[in-house]
């Protein structure tokens, strides 16, 4: 959505001036004369005239990914996304007065799920694959994280879920520096990402992966969609020391860390859910179409099947329904990994950091 609450926080992403005028269908900068047009549900606040070496694949392949990611309709926060969201809330402790930025929001699902708890929820992403609910409930900006369209100290909290692993190191530094700039002193940021480090219990975790691969060989499930999703992971922060050093460079002090050794999680994802998807996703001849419309015909079988399963699933996911409660139980089982093994250093991590007070 486009809300006047956002306007006082804005600065020109091109020249960094704060002399902005709100027009009927755009924000315009008095200093450099750039106009930032209102689109449907968001404002185009991309810096003009900037050239960057690195461009996210979500920007370059937006059209292609739009179809594949099946992003318009959000499911409730369950499974791995549910664990991320519950941990996000637990660590950031949203308050009704908070101004919060989902920095690199993607569909803006975490912003949607938490918008009701805070004063102003803003989502920012260079790609505009925003979910329908986000277009209605979250103040959305199309923006580049290296030159954010927000004034210094604008936000109390911000979060970066599944972001840092995509960037080369100079982009990580620019991203964290900009994040620190727009946080108020004492403001907090939560990041979820992963390094290249292995879990000490990796051999145990791999048992589930091996089981999962048996299904692939048997043709039950296709991992290609998942592989595509992770295809641009660089993991430039390769070790935990790299992570700490990067936040340190940006003036962000670690407050709490939780590692995600995915013992239960991998079992759920690679065995339990894949079986469920295989069963739910089987095409049912011509009798019924799911509510989400026709599945894209151009995809390989496994992808179409997975999307079909997800759509069928979503229609059963009203909070309180049996399917919802069952998946919530599975979500809590996955979260058990954090409670039991959160102290054990491994690749996946949640880190809560605080901006130093002047
Ligand atoms: Zn300007």
């Amino acid at each position: 959505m486009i809300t006047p609450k956002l306007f006082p926080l804005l600065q020109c992403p091109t020249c960094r001036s704060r002399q902005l005028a709100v027009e009927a269908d755009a924000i315009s900068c008095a200093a450099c004369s750039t106009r930032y047009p209102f689109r449907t549900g968001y404002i185009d606040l991309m810096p003009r005239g900037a050239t960057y070496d690195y461009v996210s694949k979500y920007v370059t392949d937006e059209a292609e990914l739009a179809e594949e990611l099946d992003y318009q309709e959000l499911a409730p926060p369950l499974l791995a996304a549910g664990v991320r969201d519950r941990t996000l809330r637990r660590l950031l402790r949203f308050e009704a007065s908070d101004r919060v930025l989902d920095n690199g929001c993607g569909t803006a699902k975490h912003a949607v799920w938490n918008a009701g708890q805070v004063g102003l929820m803003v989502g920012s992403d260079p790609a505009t694959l925003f979910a329908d609910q986000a277009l209605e409930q979250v103040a959305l900006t199309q923006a580049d994280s290296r030159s954010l369209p927000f004034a210094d100290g604008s936000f109390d909290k911000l979060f970066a879920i599944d972001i840092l692993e995509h960037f080369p190191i100079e982009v990580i530094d620019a991203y964290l520096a900009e994040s620190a700039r727009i946080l108020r002193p004492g403001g907090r940021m939560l990041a979820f990402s992963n390094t290249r480090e292995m879990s000490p219990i990796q051999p145990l975790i791999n048992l589930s992966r091996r089981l999962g691969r048996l299904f692939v060989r048997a043709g039950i499930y296709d991992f290609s969609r998942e592989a595509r999703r992770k295809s641009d992971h660089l993991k430039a922060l390769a070790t935990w020391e790299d992570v700490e050093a990067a936040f340190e460079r940006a003036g962000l002090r670690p407050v709490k860390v939780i590692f995600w050794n995915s013992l239960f999680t991998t079992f759920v994802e690679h065995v339990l859910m894949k079986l469920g998807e295989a069963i739910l996703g089987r095409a049912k001849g011509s009798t019924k179409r799911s509510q989400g419309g026709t599945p894209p015909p151009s995809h390989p079988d496994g992808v179409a099947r997975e999307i079909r399963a997800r759509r069928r699933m979503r229609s059963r996911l009203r909070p309180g329904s049996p399917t919802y409660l069952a998946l919530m139980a599975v979500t809590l089982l996955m979260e058990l990994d954090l409670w039991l093994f959160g102290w054990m250093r491994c690749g996946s991590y949640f880190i809560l950091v605080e901006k130093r007070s002047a």
Side-chain angles (χ1 to χ4, degrees):
M1 64 179 179
I2 297 173
T3 167
K5 278 191 189 173
L6 179 65
F7 300 155
L9 308 186
L10 295 177
Q11 79 172 27
C12 177
T14 303
C15 77
R16 307 211 154 203
S17 164
R18 297 207 58 196
Q19 297 173 46
L20 300 177
V22 181
E23 298 170 2
D25 58 351
I27 301 279
S28 72
C29 174
C32 72
S33 311
T34 307
R35 287 183 88 254
Y36 300 98
F38 295 169
R39 310 288 189 201
T40 307
Y42 67 93
I43 310 174
D44 170 5
L45 283 156
M46 289 294 278
R48 306 299 200 256
T51 50
Y52 295 114
D53 289 340
Y54 170 85
V55 181
S56 151
K57 86 172 166 163
Y58 292 95
V59 175
T60 51
D61 306 344
E62 184 166 335
E64 186 195 329
L65 283 163
E67 192 183 1
E68 181 141 320
L69 291 173
D70 186 29
Y71 66 96
Q72 290 95 339
E73 198 190 338
L74 291 183
L78 291 165
L79 305 174
V83 176
R84 284 178 181 76
D85 204 64
R86 291 168 54 83
T87 309
L88 170 71
R89 288 180 194 207
R90 179 150 62 90
L91 295 183
L92 270 185
R93 298 186 186 180
F94 294 125
E95 288 170 32
S97 62
D98 281 343
R99 292 193 293 221
V100 182
L101 177 67
D102 183 349
N103 192 7
C105 63
T107 62
K109 58 177 184 278
H110 293 285
V112 168
W113 292 332
N114 294 284
Q117 302 192 39
V118 302
L120 177 65
M121 180 65 81
V122 181
S124 154
D125 204 287
T128 57
L129 301 167
F130 306 126
D132 293 343
Q133 267 178 291
L135 292 168
E136 290 160 14
Q137 299 166 23
V138 176
L140 292 172
T141 58
Q142 181 183 14
D144 193 291
S145 57
R146 289 160 287 194
S147 184
L148 287 171
F150 310 112
D152 298 1
S154 294
F155 290 92
D156 301 291
K157 287 162 191 171
L158 75 82
F159 55 91
I161 308 286
D162 295 316
I163 303 294
L164 299 177
E165 67 272 22
H166 295 275
F167 294 154
I169 192 72
E170 65 276 10
V171 179
I172 292 174
D173 278 342
Y175 178 96
L176 293 179
E178 274 292 87
S179 295
R181 179 182 70 76
I182 63 162
L183 272 181
R184 65 165 168 79
R188 290 187 165 191
M189 164 176 179
L190 179 94
F192 172 73
S193 184
N194 37 84
T195 64
R196 296 177 182 277
E197 293 189 16
M198 285 259 260
S199 169
I201 54 171
Q202 197 61 42
L204 264 178
I205 294 171
N206 286 344
L207 290 178
S208 296
R209 287 185 183 274
R210 233 174 279 158
L211 246 177
R213 273 200 293 271
L214 285 180
F215 299 151
V216 180
R217 226 168 287 150
I220 297 174
Y221 179 72
D222 183 330
F223 281 89
S224 64
R225 186 160 173 256
E226 192 170 304
R228 196 97 43 98
R229 228 179 278 141
K230 295 182 174 172
S231 63
D232 74 335
H233 284 196
L234 296 176
K235 299 190 183 178
L237 302 177
T239 68
W240 181 245
E241 284 75 18
D242 293 344
V243 175
E244 289 182 311
F247 282 98
E248 190 60 40
R249 285 196 294 277
L252 296 165
R253 176 184 68 87
V255 176
K256 188 169 176 64
V257 176
I258 299 176
F259 293 104
W260 193 349
N261 292 275
S262 57
L263 182 62
F264 294 110
T265 300
T266 305
F267 176 74
V268 166
E269 289 187 328
H270 283 249
V271 181
L272 220 53
M273 296 316 296
K274 296 315 177 193
L275 271 179
E277 273 178 6
I279 292 164
L280 284 168
R282 266 184 313 211
K284 282 192 179 168
S286 59
T287 46
K288 250 187 209 170
R289 283 257 188 248
S290 66
Q291 300 175 343
T294 42
S298 57
H299 292 305
D301 222 34
V303 174
R305 184 167 52 212
E306 192 190 331
I307 290 176
R308 208 155 44 221
R310 277 164 198 270
R311 284 185 179 160
R312 213 166 280 166
M313 197 65 122
R314 273 197 298 250
S315 63
R316 298 182 192 179
L317 278 184
R318 255 173 289 283
S321 70
T323 310
Y324 177 89
L325 293 175
L327 287 177
M328 181 51 82
V330 174
T331 305
L332 296 177
L333 173 66
M334 294 166 90
E335 192 178 326
L336 202 52
D337 280 330
L338 304 185
W339 295 103
L340 292 178
F341 312 121
W343 51 275
M344 202 191 286
R345 176 168 157 169
C346 70
S348 290
Y349 61 88
F350 295 89
I351 185 170
L352 178 69
V353 295
E354 186 173 286
K355 179 177 177 178
R356 291 198 165 77
S357 309

